[in-house]
Amino acid sequence: MSDPKYYPIIYVRGYAGSQAEIEDTVATPHMGFNVGSTKYRQDNDKKVYPWVFESPLLRLMKEHGYVDAYRNGQLLPEGPIPRNSVWIFRYYDITSKDLGKGQRKEIEVYAKKLREFILHVRKAVDGDTLKDDFRVYLVAHSMGGLICRCYLQNPKIPGLDGKTPGNADKKGMDKLFTYATPHGGIDLRNGLGWIDGLRDFLDINNSASFGPERMRKILALAKGDDLRSLKNRFPVERAFSLVGTDSHDYAVAGGMVRKAVGPMSDGLVQIKNAYVYGGPSAFVHRSHSGQYGIVNSEEGYQNLQRFLFGDTRATLYMEDVRTKLPATDGITASYYIEVEVSIRGIPVKVHRRTVDTESAIMLSKEQLESKSVFIHTAFLSMRNRMRQDIDSMGMTVQIRVIPQYNLKKTLWFDEHYEGSSIFNKGLVFEITPQANSSKVMFRWLGQNKDNNPGTELQWKKTNSKITDGYMATIGFEEPMIRGCFRLLVSPWR
């Protein structure tokens, strides 16, 4: 187990819609990264208790020894400051009437300022030595993620050496973690698309920055490119997207925004637009911001710390699936796949895609049987496991496959029981990193661990574009479905 790399963390906040909101945010030192939440949750005695989440900032301080970079009231403190420090990129200061000139700037301007800020951080933590191994972690909410992507992807913004970079190393960034960033833009629900066009035309308060035309310029993408693409300008496996699925608790503008955006969203950003294409992600039932927001959540923090500081990456696929249809002529089927991921000792699910949160995977019978279905990539940390007396990291993946049968393009009611599944099992993994690989024990959830400690998975070496690690296969067979799960485990740095 190697020690985690504690690089400086730079937090980049999201969009402020009005000048009043800008003035409010520049009046706070940490711009939301210090905000926690206190909400009720039910405990195992069936009583309801307040549950405190202190904030990402405080948890990083308490659990990883990070320090606040501010010194002596300075916005840009001078060094020496330790590398394990949290910095706030205050890009709205230049837009504030109190601290700046009161004029809004484009994302490209903020991205250039981010480069200048990283240079300042480098000098503050490394002094005049300017060590070659200097890196930062960029952690961003909403539009802040687009500022980070513009810094990474736009070739007009040079590297830290002042030259147009040929690779991401020149930008000084190790990893990118985004909360609820509109990587694919902000769209309104069906029937309100004309408002998108009006927004992009009027560009009130830079709102066109969330439309496809402006985003292509910001991110240096060609017309046919997916807006969520990094275009190989940064390693996609090092860009994590946290996706919110709670559209009901986003209270901005009296709830009008969430009604305009619609379901399958966090209230502002639709799920389909909230992740980097090809990169790791997690879905959590939190809204874009507010009391039930995604940044001030336990789920968000648990994903953040494991992605930044974890030592193991585990990816699960569902493959070689074959399904049976009811014995009635003309029946067709599609399938919801629900996925819930838990890590031993953590009181929340770190990933949750379910029908009731409007986020389940949905595939036709042909898609399910012809492709490798990506389930999830989890990041684990031996150092931060809750049970230090157990020499393995425990993780469960609960998977349900729910069929939707149709006859002549309408729901077939003869054998329809809402929510009934043809597969509903939990996979339990105990992962122990070793010198050259990992030891992984597997059992089905519900099996008594004392009587059945599980089966040690047999591994074979694999190399791919995304990862280099070890692969094992787990077969399953039920009356209406059979197939296998493929687990890929690799070191994470």
Side-chain angles (χ1 to χ4, degrees):
M1 179 181 66
S2 60
D3 291 334
K5 292 287 188 181
Y6 284 138
Y7 295 126
I9 291 174
I10 297 176
Y11 178 68
V12 188
R13 66 149 289 141
Y15 177 74
S18 67
Q19 191 65 36
E21 290 174 341
I22 289 175
E23 302 305 335
D24 284 342
T25 194
V26 301
T28 61
H30 298 98
M31 295 192 162
F33 204 50
N34 61 317
V35 175
S37 63
T38 306
K39 291 297 177 183
Y40 281 115
R41 63 177 290 150
Q42 190 176 34
D43 211 338
N44 54 13
D45 60 0
K46 299 183 180 180
K47 295 181 180 180
V48 178
Y49 299 94
W51 178 266
V52 174
F53 172 67
E54 304 93 317
S55 77
L57 177 63
L58 286 178
R59 291 288 287 276
L60 287 167
M61 291 177 172
K62 291 166 68 172
E63 297 177 10
H64 295 279
Y66 269 78
V67 299
D68 181 9
Y70 286 125
R71 297 287 187 277
N72 303 318
Q74 298 174 323
L75 280 179
L76 291 174
E78 303 294 336
I81 294 175
R83 284 197 173 194
N84 57 327
S85 50
V86 178
W87 298 72
I88 309 300
F89 176 48
R90 300 173 54 89
Y91 63 90
Y92 269 134
D93 284 0
I94 60 174
T95 306
S96 165
K97 291 182 179 179
D98 280 346
L99 303 181
K101 296 183 179 180
Q103 298 176 344
R104 282 188 178 259
K105 304 295 182 182
E106 300 291 352
I107 283 180
E108 292 93 331
V109 174
Y110 298 140
K112 292 176 182 176
K113 293 292 184 182
L114 176 57
R115 174 184 174 272
E116 295 174 8
F117 189 76
I118 294 174
L119 284 169
H120 177 85
V121 173
R122 183 175 71 173
K123 183 172 178 58
V125 300
D126 280 353
D128 294 328
T129 58
L130 301 182
K131 298 175 183 177
D132 292 337
D133 67 341
F134 173 81
R135 296 285 187 276
V136 297
Y137 297 133
L138 293 184
V139 178
H141 175 234
S142 193
M143 189 185 84
L146 298 183
I147 293 173
C148 296
R149 282 185 60 193
C150 180
Y151 168 67
L152 288 172
Q153 295 183 230
N154 196 314
K156 294 182 180 179
I157 301 175
L160 299 183
D161 59 0
K163 301 176 183 178
T164 301
N167 56 61
D169 290 342
K170 302 299 183 182
K171 297 278 185 159
M173 199 184 84
D174 188 76
K175 294 173 186 169
L176 170 65
F177 184 99
T178 63
Y179 298 93
T181 287
H183 292 288
I186 293 179
D187 301 324
L188 302 184
R189 66 198 307 168
N190 290 341
L192 295 179
W194 62 273
I195 299 180
D196 289 336
L198 184 63
R199 171 203 64 195
D200 297 347
F201 177 75
L202 295 176
D203 194 20
I204 298 173
N205 291 341
N206 301 99
S207 57
S209 296
F210 307 112
E213 185 175 347
R214 272 290 295 132
M215 285 187 66
R216 293 189 192 284
K217 293 180 180 178
I218 291 167
L219 303 174
L221 296 171
K223 187 173 183 180
D225 292 336
D226 192 314
L227 292 176
R228 301 168 300 168
S229 172
L230 298 184
K231 291 294 289 184
N232 297 319
R233 295 177 187 136
F234 185 74
V236 69
E237 68 271 18
R238 303 187 79 78
F240 189 103
S241 306
L242 193 66
V243 181
T245 64
D246 179 8
S247 62
H248 304 287
D249 288 311
Y250 186 58
V252 169
M256 292 177 60
V257 174
R258 68 169 183 258
K259 291 177 182 177
V261 173
M264 293 185 286
S265 74
D266 62 9
L268 179 62
V269 180
Q270 292 183 358
I271 290 172
K272 65 179 182 179
N273 293 332
Y275 55 89
V276 168
Y277 184 76
S281 64
F283 288 54
V284 297
H285 194 56
R286 306 291 293 196
S287 65
H288 191 78
S289 63
Q291 295 181 2
Y292 296 93
I294 196 168
V295 177
N296 51 310
S297 70
E298 185 74 34
E299 296 92 331
Y301 174 73
Q302 294 296 345
N303 278 286
L304 172 70
Q305 70 159 339
R306 282 166 173 76
F307 176 68
L308 294 187
F309 314 127
D311 50 54
T312 302
R313 172 176 51 188
T315 301
L316 190 68
Y317 298 89
M318 192 178 194
E319 297 182 332
D320 300 328
V321 174
R322 293 294 180 267
T323 59
K324 293 182 180 180
L325 295 175
T328 299
D329 291 341
I331 293 288
T332 60
S334 57
Y335 299 88
Y336 289 109
I337 302 176
E338 295 188 329
V339 182
E340 295 183 288
V341 179
S342 302
I343 296 174
R344 179 169 46 226
I346 297 176
V348 295
K349 293 180 172 65
V350 295
H351 176 66
R352 184 179 178 219
R353 299 189 67 173
T354 60
V355 172
D356 67 318
T357 61
E358 301 163 342
S359 60
I361 303 166
M362 190 172 189
L363 300 171
S364 67
K365 177 178 170 65
E366 293 75 19
Q367 291 172 323
L368 179 59
E369 296 185 351
S370 65
K371 62 185 290 187
S372 175
V373 180
F374 170 73
I375 299 297
H376 183 59
T377 293
F379 296 90
L380 305 171
S381 172
M382 281 292 286
R383 178 178 294 274
N384 296 113
R385 66 193 191 279
M386 298 298 290
R387 289 288 302 275
Q388 291 289 319
D389 58 320
I390 300 177
D391 64 354
S392 64
M393 300 173 290
M395 177 181 73
T396 67
V397 184
Q398 183 74 40
I399 297 176
R400 298 178 70 214
V401 180
I402 303 170
Q404 295 287 295
Y405 297 125
N406 294 281
L407 182 63
K408 297 180 180 179
K409 298 183 178 180
T410 60
L411 190 64
W412 184 60
F413 287 102
D414 291 18
E415 290 296 327
H416 177 77
Y417 300 93
E418 185 65 27
S420 61
S421 60
I422 59 174
F423 183 89
N424 185 3
K425 287 190 173 183
L427 299 88
V428 182
F429 299 106
E430 298 281 350
I431 303 175
T432 306
Q434 296 179 336
N436 298 315
S437 63
S438 293
K439 176 183 176 181
V440 178
M441 300 296 292
F442 161 77
R443 60 185 169 88
W444 294 106
L445 188 64
Q447 292 179 330
N448 189 303
K449 185 179 179 182
D450 295 330
N451 298 331
N452 182 5
T455 302
E456 184 173 352
L457 296 180
Q458 299 301 307
W459 298 91
K460 65 179 181 180
K461 192 77 166 64
T462 181
N463 292 281
S464 71
K465 294 180 180 179
I466 295 298
T467 188
D468 177 13
Y470 289 79
M471 179 181 71
T473 301
I474 303 160
F476 65 89
E477 185 167 1
E478 300 292 327
M480 301 296 286
I481 186 172
R482 61 181 171 85
C484 68
F485 294 105
R486 180 165 61 94
L487 178 69
L488 196 65
V489 176
S490 60
W492 177 243
R493 296 163 292 279

